[in-house]
Every structure is written in C-alpha cells, then in structure tokens.
Amino acid sequence: MTVGRTVLLLGGTGFLGRAIGAAFEAGGARVLSAARGGPLRLDLTRAGAEDLAALLRAHPPDVVVNAAGRAWRATDEEMYAANAHAVVRLVEAMAGLPDRPRLIQLGSVHEYGAGVVGAGLREDHPPAPVTAYGRSKLRGSQAVLDGVRTANLDGIVLRLANVCGPGAPAGSLLGAVGARLARAGSAPRAADDPVVLRVAPLRARRDFVDVRDVAEAVVAAAGLPGTGPAEPVINIGRGEALDMRELVERLAALSGLPVRIVESETDGPLRADVEWQRLDVSKARLLLGWRPRRGVDRSLGDLLAVERAAAPAARPA
C-alpha cells in the first residue's frame, strides 16, 4: 500500500513519469516530481551525488522511482549520461543516507539483447545488449544491483518491455505513426486519398506493454514488504512477441483513414538491434500480483486519441 507515503519521482514530467505519478496519487501517495521542468527542478545528468543527497534530505521520501533517461534522438554519450552515470551517482547518494528509501529503477528489455525465438526472456537470462541504449540501461541497472549487494540498498529493477500507450514519445515508432495519422485526419483531404506512411522495414517481433500497466507495476513494487525480493530484477511486459507490421497496420485501421504503408531502408531510423524479444513475466505475477490489464487495441486507440487532441484543427475550405 502507498497511502500516505511520499514518493520522489525522478523524471516525473516524462512519458513514464506522468503515468507513474498519476498512479501513485490515485493510491493516496504524496508525489514529489523532480525533473528539469518539474516542481522540483533537477537535471539528473548534471547533479552530483552530494546534490542528490541534499535533495533526499530536504524532501525525505519513502520511495524513489527513477523514471528519467534518454532513448530516442540522443547520442551515445547522452544516453550514457542519463541512463548510466546519473544512476551511479543516485545510488551513491542513497547509500549514504541513514534512513534509506526504496529505490525502483526502470530498466529495459534491451538490456537482455537477443531473445530466443519462441521463448520468453527470464530474469536470469545473461544480459548481452547490442545497442548503446541497451548497454547504458544495463550499466544503470548494475549500479542499483551492486548497491543492493554491497551497500544494503533497498533497490528493485523493473525491466520493462517496449512501452506504448497515450502520450508515447514522437521519437518512438508508434508515437510517430500515431502523430502522423492524427495530423492527416485533421487536414483537408479527399476521402479516398490514402495517407502514405513511410517507415523503416518492420521485420521485428517485440513485447509491448501499456504505460499505465507499467505504472501499476511500479506502485506494486513500491508496496512490497520488507527489503524486496532476494533477486531484485522483475520483468514487466505483455509476455507476447507482437509483429511490428501488424501493430502499425492496427494503428492505421483504428484511425479510420485509408493508409498505405511503405517500408524502405531509407525511411526512418534503421534498427540495428535484435528482431525477436518476449519477456517472461511470471515473476511479476508471483511477487507483485501484477498482470497487464490493457489490450493492444485499447493502448493504440488511446495513443491515437491523445494525438488527435493535440493535432491542429482542420481549417474550413
């Protein structure tokens, strides 16, 4: 239970942070949002361990959730600064506190690297990331796990599948497609004139989970009694490998627009990582009592609804 507890939410103004903050507040927690543009102004990539310790002493939390990080439209150096080095300093700051709050670190399926076709990745699968993003996220997760082992940190790493749903960033594939469809729907056009979606080849099958389901998993992890599980890594995903082409086609169908999808090696960022990923989420069900509750159509439909609300209204002819 989180009623009456204080949660310090790092990256609270981002895609994940907004959903997590709303879930904690709905459960009666007091949420302090720290971000570059948040109520508590903090640039985690620039803050030193002493700065973070001072923040934690000034606003003592029961739970710290690190939802900050960089994934899209970032250089390797920027990803390492946000996803790895900042977490190292955060762990150092928390290890020096006399009363240590629980730390929930949001990791990534991309820390595992390649999956085995037809099988789910378990938490004991040896990490072997193949992208700078995956390597930077793994370094951050390792910092938390090292803190648990050597400094008695009360830490949990939630390794997330690819996250979608309302508010998905424009840098993500589904976020970009949703924004493109919303703009096309608000612009004057002939009824039978198709919207052309140019995308990089959609060859992969990946695990996707709704951002609100992620938020519920974070709240459940915050409420675990004691100092958390002995092996503090928990996968959070749908447990399915979804075909990327079918996901884009479903989003197009939900838009109600005639759409033509054009796959090209020259359109959109080419993915150099693995083409199959599915998480085994049985540990989350067992320890957290958690399961994903939102279906793919709801997640994609709500994504599209948010983009439509943000799209400029069409001017009358």
Side-chain angles (χ1 to χ4, degrees):
M1 296 291 290
T2 61
V3 175
R5 303 181 83 182
T6 297
V7 178
L8 177 61
L9 180 53
L10 306 177
T13 59
F15 172 47
L16 290 168
R18 292 192 301 271
I20 292 168
F24 272 114
E25 288 176 344
R30 173 174 175 249
V31 177
L32 304 174
S33 178
R36 279 178 288 186
L40 295 178
R41 293 195 174 273
L42 175 72
D43 184 343
L44 201 57
T45 63
R46 296 180 180 274
E50 301 240 345
D51 300 318
L52 293 167
L55 175 68
L56 291 161
R57 287 193 296 267
H59 304 278
D62 300 295
V63 179
V64 176
V65 179
N66 183 22
R70 296 291 300 274
W72 298 281
R73 298 173 180 172
T75 65
D76 291 2
E77 291 76 13
E78 289 169 336
M79 284 189 281
Y80 269 92
N83 302 336
H85 307 321
V87 184
V88 171
R89 295 192 295 272
L90 175 62
V91 169
E92 180 183 344
M94 293 186 67
L97 296 175
D99 297 313
R100 297 175 185 173
R102 169 162 293 164
L103 171 61
I104 300 174
Q105 166 71 12
L106 302 188
S108 169
V109 62
H110 295 286
E111 297 174 37
Y112 290 120
V116 178
V117 174
L121 290 159
R122 291 163 46 99
E123 288 84 356
D124 57 2
H125 184 89
V130 297
T131 63
Y133 174 70
R135 289 188 288 270
S136 68
K137 290 296 290 183
L138 178 60
R139 180 67 190 92
S141 293
Q142 287 173 331
V144 174
L145 298 176
D146 288 346
V148 171
R149 285 190 293 265
T150 65
N152 293 319
L153 190 73
D154 181 5
I156 298 174
V157 174
L158 300 182
R159 282 200 174 128
L160 309 182
N162 301 279
V163 185
C164 62
S172 67
L173 173 64
L174 296 179
V177 169
R180 171 76 178 89
L181 292 170
R183 290 194 302 269
S186 68
R189 43 179 296 279
D192 58 352
D193 187 16
V195 178
V196 178
L197 290 177
R198 299 187 180 277
V199 295
L202 302 170
R203 305 187 184 107
R205 298 184 71 92
R206 299 189 184 281
D207 200 333
F208 275 84
V209 64
D210 189 275
V211 66
R212 294 159 294 188
D213 286 326
V214 169
E216 290 172 1
V218 173
V219 172
L224 276 177
T227 56
E231 298 296 329
V233 177
I234 305 174
N235 289 338
I236 302 298
R238 185 174 297 281
E240 301 175 19
L242 303 175
D243 183 277
M244 293 301 300
R245 172 87 189 195
E246 292 177 5
L247 278 177
V248 173
E249 289 174 344
R250 189 61 195 144
L251 188 53
L254 289 169
S255 75
L257 300 171
V259 174
R260 182 163 63 92
I261 300 170
V262 178
E263 297 182 50
S264 169
E265 300 283 344
T266 60
D267 287 306
L270 285 175
R271 297 294 297 258
D273 52 352
V274 299
E275 296 189 358
W276 169 279
Q277 285 175 329
R278 175 165 70 85
L279 289 174
D280 181 319
V281 295
S282 56
K283 187 174 180 179
R285 289 196 297 269
L286 178 65
L287 292 183
L288 304 181
W290 174 91
R291 62 179 180 82
R293 298 194 302 113
R294 293 158 183 89
V296 172
D297 274 9
R298 179 178 174 187
S299 189
L300 296 179
D302 290 348
L303 183 161
L304 193 58
V306 168
E307 294 300 334
R308 281 173 170 156
R315 294 179 180 176

